[in-house]
């Protein structure tokens, strides 16, 4: 199909204007898996009805939902190109990610071998059991043809009885699928395997939308059925937050889960599907542990997939993607992933509180907020989101992940709204943001988020103060009094106990105490001048050889006491004075755990926050 678009100026016959042609040739992929046991796929990309001129074929450098660079071209080899007659064409390699093919005759077939042995949300894994394809890691594409429709034909190994799970549009052939353009195609991970499938109607939906759960695992149908029941509950709680499911393309949302010993743990959201990978099976408690990722990714079908930060539009396949809004896009999604599981009743208030304790310790006891605000922390994503590097970094001090930090902001905002405003909660805010920017798919800015908060609370002063303090600056919300309203106690876990470092950070092996990570800014060790890889010999005149020595010594001293420390650093021996500090570790308990009585008011507050909303 060739579409000619004549530019407006040509139509009005202005001299000097040149008619612009936009070509939309047919693009067809054929994917063979004859060498699956050696983790290879043979892929050909055929372009027909091409206009004359060289064609550049590219491998993506990143993947939708990921922010760092992954350089997928590294697993592509045996590249050849032929024209419609089968004649070999010259290929030029302008850089590592692009292949430029000249002299085609209107038809061009680009062939290559792809190696994939890392099944997760970013990469591809091919073996005798499955082909788990993340599309940017698998398919070369033509960037100059953004609107050309795509057809893909999968050719599974002869002996395999593979089915296909994908958000691509089905055709009459069970192994042939289509996409309207490469943007959608590259966002559509595909699993070919002998998976087990569940399907149910989307809740609160009148348009016949379906939810599918495809599970490739070594377990039983009964395990999948039990997991499906859990998934249904959490999906229903999330739909209740927004009041409706998202409008899925082709009326279907598909969870593509690989719970197998040879995959790498991950979860990756896409427009109408998600990849869930874990080495945990669905046996016993593992099912619930896997559910957290399922919950997180489904929440993205609203927040991120349709409710999109302007900074991520359009997605850049050839460079890192930097966004100022991941504290909201990922962080608020993290807030809701376990909140909606709590609302299903699958976990208790006690479990919910203990899950939070880990997050609160990580976020509230980090000095990271003195370096970057949540907005700036979001922009660090290309350095941390499945990014690899070999040089040392100071992330222990300067970085707080925008996932838990954003979740803590979500918690603070939710409890503040519930405390200070009549009948307003974060659910109302999410629904309002969804209506304005998600349903309409109008990408938002931070100012838009603030403005919507002003509308929901009818207070632009509140919205401005909250955003200024907690989003633009890194000030933490004072959570203890807010959590108390719901009958939870946030307090120091070990009041009056002395520590040397914040967090673990000391490795006891072969009768030596070695500092194993960057000392935290503000901690006793940091202030005394000790850092990673230093070996502590004695403290307060006593030898320290193991954790027991250290704990006994610390237990016999008070926070604020000054002790001498001897240590070696870079092969030299040192002595310094160290002032002990109080253990900053926090715990979050229910009033019941703390032996306190819940008031009727607290019960009501808690129920309206953590109780089921599903219809
Ligand atoms: Zn996420």
């Amino acid at each position: 199909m060739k579409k000619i678009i004549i530019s407006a100026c040509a139509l009005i016959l202005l001299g000097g204007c040149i008619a612009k042609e936009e070509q939309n040739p047919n693009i067809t992929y054929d994917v063979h898996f004859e060498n699956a046991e050696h983790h290879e796929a043979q892929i050909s990309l055929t372009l027909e009805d091409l206009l004359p001129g060289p064609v550049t074929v590219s491998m993506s450098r990143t993947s939708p939902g990921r922010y760092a660079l992954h350089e997928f071209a590294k697993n592509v080899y045996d590249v050849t190109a032929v024209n419609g007659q089968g004649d070999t064409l010259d290929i030029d390699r302008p850089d590592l990610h692009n292949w430029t093919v000249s002299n085609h005759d209107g038809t061009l077939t680009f062939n290559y071998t792809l190696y994939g042995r890392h099944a997760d949300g970013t990469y591809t894994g091919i073996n005798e059991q499955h082909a788990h394809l993340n599309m940017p890691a698998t398919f070369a594409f033509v960037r100059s043809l953004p609107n050309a429709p795509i057809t893909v034909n999968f050719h599974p190994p002869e002996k395999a009885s593979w089915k296909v799970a994908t958000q691509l549009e089905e055709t009459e052939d069970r192994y042939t699928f289509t996409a309207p353009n490469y943007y959608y195609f590259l966002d559509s991970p595909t699993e070919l395997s002998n998976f087990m499938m569940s399907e149910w109607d989307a809740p609160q939906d009148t348009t016949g939308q379906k939810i599918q759960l495809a599970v490739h695992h070594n377990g039983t149908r009964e395990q999948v059925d039990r997991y499906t029941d859990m998934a249904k509950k959490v999906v229903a709680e999330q739909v209740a937050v927004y009041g409706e499911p998202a409008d899925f393309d082709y009326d279907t949302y598909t969870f593509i889960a690989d719970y197998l010993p040879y995959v790498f743990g991950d979860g990756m959201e896409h427009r109408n599907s998600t990849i869930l990978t874990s080495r945990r099976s669905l046996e016993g408690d593992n099912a619930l542990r896997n559910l957290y990722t399922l919950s997180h990714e489904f929440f993205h079908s609203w927040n991120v997939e349709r409710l999109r930060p302007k900074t991520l539009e359009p997605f850049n396949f050839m460079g890192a993607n930097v966004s100022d809004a991941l504290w909201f896009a990922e962080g608020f999604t993290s807030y809701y992933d376990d909140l909606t599981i709590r609302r299903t009743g699958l976990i208790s208030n006690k479990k919910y509180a203990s899950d939070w304790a880990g997050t609160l310790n990580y976020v509230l006891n980090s000095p990271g907020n003195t370096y970057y605000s949540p907005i700036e922390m979001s922009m660090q994503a290309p350095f941390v989101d499945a990014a690899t590097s070999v040089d040392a970094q100071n992330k222990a001090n300067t970085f707080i992940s925008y996932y838990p930090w954003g979740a803590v902001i979500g918690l603070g905002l939710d409890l503040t709204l519930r405390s200070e405003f009549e009948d307003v909660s974060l659910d109302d805010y999410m629904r309002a943001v969804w209506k304005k920017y998600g349903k309409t798919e109008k990408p938002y800015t931070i100012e838009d988020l603030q403005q919507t908060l002003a509308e929901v609370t009818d207070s632009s002063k509140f919205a401005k103060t909250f955003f200024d303090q907690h989003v633009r600056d890194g000030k933490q919300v004072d959570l203890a009094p807010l959590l108390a309203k719901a009958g939870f106690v946030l307090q120091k876990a070990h009041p009056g106990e002395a520590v040397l470092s914040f967090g673990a950070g000391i490795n006891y092996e072969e009768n030596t105490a070695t500092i194993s990570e960057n000392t935290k800014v503000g901690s006793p060790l940091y202030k005394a001048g000790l850092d990673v890889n230093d070996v502590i010999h004695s403290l307060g005149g006593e030898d320290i050889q193991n954790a027991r020595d250290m704990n006994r010594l610390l237990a016999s001293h008070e926070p604020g006491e000054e002790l001498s420390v001897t240590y070696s650093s870079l092969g030299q021996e040192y002595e310094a004075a160290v002032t002990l500090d109080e253990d900053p570790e926090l715990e979050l308990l229910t009033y019941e755990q703390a032996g306190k009585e819940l008031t009727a008011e607290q019960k009501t507050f808690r129920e309206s926050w953590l109780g089921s909303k599903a219809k």
Side-chain angles (χ1 to χ4, degrees):
M1 182 171 54
K2 196 179 285 178
K3 198 167 136 204
I4 313 280
I5 294 175
I6 299 171
S7 63
C9 60
L11 282 173
I12 54 171
L13 302 171
L14 279 177
C17 270
I18 300 161
K20 257 197 197 163
E21 283 186 312
E22 187 189 327
Q23 48 175 345
N24 274 340
N26 282 319
I27 299 183
T28 308
Y29 292 95
D30 279 277
V31 192
H32 292 264
F33 300 100
E34 269 112 36
N35 212 17
E37 64 270 35
H38 294 298
H39 316 289
E40 286 181 342
Q42 276 67 44
I43 300 176
S44 67
L45 157 60
T46 299
L47 307 162
E48 290 168 303
D49 292 334
L50 281 171
L51 294 175
V55 174
T56 296
V57 178
S58 312
M59 277 304 281
S60 179
R61 303 185 66 196
T62 184
S63 182
R66 283 259 100 96
Y67 307 100
L69 294 176
H70 295 281
E71 316 297 20
F72 297 120
K74 65 183 173 292
N75 275 323
V76 167
Y77 44 89
D78 288 343
V79 176
T80 60
V82 296
N83 66 13
Q85 306 302 311
D87 304 326
T88 301
L89 300 174
D90 288 342
I91 300 176
D92 194 39
R93 197 83 192 273
D95 57 44
L96 281 175
H97 321 288
N98 296 294
W99 293 260
T100 300
V101 187
S102 304
N103 301 322
H104 62 77
D105 55 1
T107 298
L108 185 168
T109 299
F110 182 85
N111 304 298
Y112 60 98
T113 299
L114 180 93
Y115 184 79
R117 191 165 56 83
H118 194 102
D120 71 357
T122 310
Y123 301 105
T124 280
I126 299 162
N127 57 36
E128 301 96 314
Q129 306 296 320
H130 74 170
H132 170 101
L133 309 176
N134 189 43
M135 304 316 236
T138 308
F139 290 98
F141 68 110
V142 182
R143 280 185 289 146
S144 62
L145 301 173
N147 299 314
I150 288 171
T151 301
V152 57
N153 304 306
F154 295 108
H155 306 273
E158 213 129 281
K159 284 171 283 176
S161 50
W162 288 355
K163 297 173 281 184
V164 185
T166 180
Q167 67 172 28
L168 292 169
E169 189 176 21
E170 293 176 355
T171 67
E172 279 175 10
D173 186 313
R174 61 192 288 234
Y175 290 122
T176 298
F177 296 83
T178 65
N181 50 49
Y182 76 65
Y183 192 98
Y184 190 85
F185 181 69
L186 294 177
D187 186 49
S188 303
T190 299
E191 163 84 12
L192 294 98
S193 66
N194 200 1
F195 52 78
M196 297 178 188
M197 184 70 120
S198 300
E199 188 177 285
W200 68 97
D201 294 335
Q204 298 192 45
D205 176 67
T206 50
T207 62
Q209 299 202 103
K210 300 269 183 227
I211 314 249
Q212 297 182 328
L213 170 59
V215 180
H216 182 203
H217 71 153
N218 294 328
T220 64
R221 180 71 234 182
E222 289 66 36
Q223 287 170 349
V224 173
D225 289 342
R226 187 173 75 104
Y227 191 57
T228 302
D229 286 341
M230 297 164 97
K232 279 184 185 174
K233 285 182 184 159
V234 78
V235 163
E237 290 298 342
Q238 294 190 357
V239 169
V241 171
Y242 289 100
E244 60 185 351
D247 189 3
F248 307 130
D249 305 308
Y250 315 119
D251 294 332
T252 308
Y253 183 92
T254 308
F255 292 103
I256 304 170
D258 277 33
Y259 298 135
L260 293 159
Y262 51 84
V263 302
F264 296 82
D266 204 357
M268 184 49 64
E269 72 277 9
H270 297 278
R271 210 174 139 78
N272 310 294
S273 66
T274 188
I275 288 290
L276 306 168
T277 49
S278 174
R279 292 187 182 183
R280 280 189 298 261
S281 68
L282 289 178
E283 219 179 310
D285 292 346
N286 280 341
L288 179 61
R289 292 172 70 198
N290 285 330
L291 191 70
Y292 282 79
T293 313
L294 179 147
S295 176
H296 182 94
E297 304 309 330
F298 190 69
F299 202 82
H300 276 320
S301 67
W302 296 274
N303 188 17
V304 162
E305 288 304 328
R306 288 162 180 84
L307 188 49
R308 269 185 92 65
K310 206 169 190 170
T311 40
L312 285 183
E313 284 293 312
F315 188 78
N316 182 359
F317 287 99
M318 303 311 283
N321 285 268
V322 180
S323 173
D324 53 3
L326 298 186
W327 60 271
F328 179 77
E330 290 297 355
F332 276 40
T333 299
S334 290
Y335 173 64
Y336 274 100
D337 64 29
D338 54 348
L339 174 61
T340 51
I341 291 182
R342 170 64 204 105
R343 285 179 177 170
T344 65
L346 287 165
I347 60 169
S348 65
N349 288 329
K350 192 176 148 191
K351 165 82 172 118
Y352 185 60
S354 81
D355 286 351
W356 261 116
T359 304
L360 293 171
N361 272 303
Y362 167 71
V363 173
L364 301 181
N365 286 330
S366 169
N369 66 333
T370 63
Y371 294 87
Y372 295 117
S373 71
I375 289 177
E376 294 163 320
M377 216 57 98
S378 299
M379 295 165 73
Q380 297 285 307
F383 294 143
V384 297
D385 174 60
T388 52
S389 58
V390 293
D391 59 335
Q393 300 167 56
N394 198 16
K395 292 271 178 282
N397 280 308
T398 62
F399 184 69
I400 306 174
S401 168
Y402 39 84
Y403 286 82
W405 194 358
V408 168
I409 296 169
L411 174 69
L413 180 56
D414 197 1
L415 296 180
T416 303
L417 291 173
R418 290 169 185 277
S419 304
E420 292 184 15
F421 298 90
E422 186 112 15
D423 283 330
V424 182
S425 71
L426 198 66
D427 294 1
D428 298 302
Y429 177 63
M430 294 310 290
R431 227 166 6 245
V433 180
W434 166 247
K435 287 215 177 86
K436 274 179 87 174
Y437 302 104
K439 226 172 143 58
T440 55
E441 302 206 29
K442 186 182 154 208
Y444 65 80
T445 62
I446 305 291
E447 287 65 37
D448 293 333
L449 294 180
Q450 181 183 320
Q451 175 57 28
T452 310
L453 185 61
E455 286 160 19
V456 168
T457 56
D458 203 14
S459 170
S460 46
K461 183 162 169 262
F462 168 77
K464 184 177 185 319
T465 307
F466 191 92
F467 269 73
D468 281 351
Q469 291 189 343
H470 307 301
V471 177
R472 294 190 185 93
D473 290 337
K475 188 169 181 262
Q476 302 291 4
V477 179
D478 185 11
L479 290 169
L482 293 168
L483 286 160
K485 287 180 188 286
F488 290 91
V489 190
L490 178 63
Q491 61 189 13
K492 287 239 171 104
H494 313 287
E497 289 183 22
V499 291
L500 202 54
S501 63
F502 299 160
I506 298 177
N507 210 350
Y508 300 96
E509 257 170 36
E510 294 172 8
N511 297 331
T512 57
T514 307
I515 300 174
S516 59
E517 57 188 29
N518 295 14
T519 49
K520 283 263 176 74
V521 171
S523 69
L525 283 179
Y526 186 93
K527 288 196 227 165
L530 283 79
D531 211 316
V532 64
N533 296 331
D534 291 353
V535 179
I536 299 171
H537 299 309
S538 75
L539 189 62
E542 299 208 25
D543 279 2
I544 303 292
Q545 295 193 343
N546 51 48
R548 216 178 45 237
D549 291 346
M550 180 68 90
N551 292 338
R552 198 171 40 217
L553 186 107
L554 289 173
S556 65
H557 292 278
E558 302 279 314
E561 276 184 57
E562 190 182 284
L563 303 177
S564 77
V565 57
T566 62
Y567 64 102
S568 54
S569 180
L570 309 171
Q572 303 283 321
E573 301 301 318
Y574 295 91
E575 183 168 356
V578 60
T579 305
L580 300 178
D581 210 337
E582 186 178 28
D583 187 345
E585 193 186 335
L586 300 165
E587 64 182 2
L588 183 65
L589 305 174
T590 62
Y591 264 40
E592 295 89 327
Q593 277 176 288
K596 289 178 151 190
E597 193 102 357
L598 268 185
T599 65
E601 213 177 323
Q602 284 170 322
K603 265 186 199 154
T604 309
F605 190 106
R606 189 192 275 183
E607 178 58 26
S608 122
W609 174 33
L610 301 178
S612 173
K613 307 277 179 282
K615 296 204 169 87

